[in-house]
Amino acid sequence: MTPEEFQRVLAAKMDEIKRYRDEDLPHVIGKEAVDHFQDSFTNEGFTDETVEKWPEVERRKPDSPWYGFSTLTKNRFSPTRATDRILTGETNELRNSIDYTVSPGKVTVGTDKVYAAVHQFGQKAMIFGKKAFTMPKRPFIGKSAKLLSNIQDKIERDLSRILK
């Protein structure tokens, strides 16, 4: 390869890296983050370096008056709800609401569900709008060493592919 050919190849690779950085990378980061945060619902806990399990829910405790509680069965016992994962609800609405947006130089991950903060931070809530209680903290979005490592690994694989 002549020096001129090398210079052309190098310039083309640099253009491809810049395009990756500006166009693909924000979506790579957003998708990795959404997948990681949605895994919290499967793992029933948030993963920073390791999975930090959430507190148990009353509907899965056989001695609780809420055992097997389901709004879909008109508040009667549901064997399915007695074993369903924490924070899944009967629709997976909260899990499925996690999404990302891209703006210049920034990726934002979150949910549009107003009740998400109650679960994330363990805030006060109302049972059927009547009785107040404090929801246990069950974080599902946040800073994560595992997520950062996954993003770094993905970027390294992508850059290796571009530079071949």
Side-chain angles (χ1 to χ4, degrees):
M1 181 181 297
T2 67
E4 292 79 22
E5 290 171 329
F6 177 75
Q7 198 170 21
R8 277 193 298 276
V9 169
L10 185 59
K13 293 293 183 183
M14 288 304 297
D15 288 344
E16 196 172 346
I17 289 171
K18 287 178 187 174
R19 187 201 57 74
Y20 173 78
R21 179 198 65 201
D22 297 340
E23 297 174 21
D24 296 345
L25 184 57
H27 297 283
V28 166
I29 292 169
K31 177 157 181 10
E32 287 290 321
V34 167
D35 290 348
H36 179 81
F37 298 143
Q38 286 181 338
D39 282 348
S40 295
F41 294 83
T42 302
N43 300 333
E44 296 185 317
F46 182 74
T47 303
D48 179 2
E49 292 180 12
T50 61
V51 177
E52 298 167 25
K53 291 290 194 179
W54 294 328
E56 186 58 76
V57 290
E58 293 297 313
R59 68 175 164 72
R60 294 196 322 196
K61 296 178 183 177
D63 60 338
S64 169
W66 293 97
Y67 181 62
F69 178 81
S70 168
T71 55
L72 294 182
T73 58
K74 297 192 175 19
N75 305 333
R76 291 188 309 247
F77 176 80
S78 164
T80 304
R81 291 300 289 154
T83 58
D84 278 349
R85 294 185 188 278
I86 299 171
L87 287 189
T88 58
E90 292 168 295
T91 62
N92 280 308
E93 180 181 68
L94 182 57
R95 179 183 195 270
N96 294 336
S97 72
I98 299 171
D99 204 0
Y100 71 94
T101 56
V102 174
S103 54
K106 185 177 179 180
V107 178
T108 305
V109 181
T111 173
D112 61 352
K113 301 301 173 195
V114 294
Y115 61 86
V118 172
H119 297 289
Q120 177 76 15
F121 303 111
Q123 298 176 341
K124 292 206 180 295
M126 300 289 276
I127 298 172
F128 299 113
K130 297 176 182 171
K131 183 180 176 190
F133 75 105
T134 301
M135 180 70 70
K137 185 177 178 179
R138 294 187 177 104
F140 53 91
I141 291 179
K143 186 177 177 182
S144 167
K146 177 72 172 155
L147 172 60
L148 292 176
S149 175
N150 290 348
I151 290 170
Q152 183 176 355
D153 290 348
K154 176 72 170 140
I155 291 170
E156 287 174 4
R157 284 192 306 272
D158 289 347
L159 290 177
S160 291
R161 179 186 42 81
I162 289 169
L163 293 174
K164 282 188 177 184

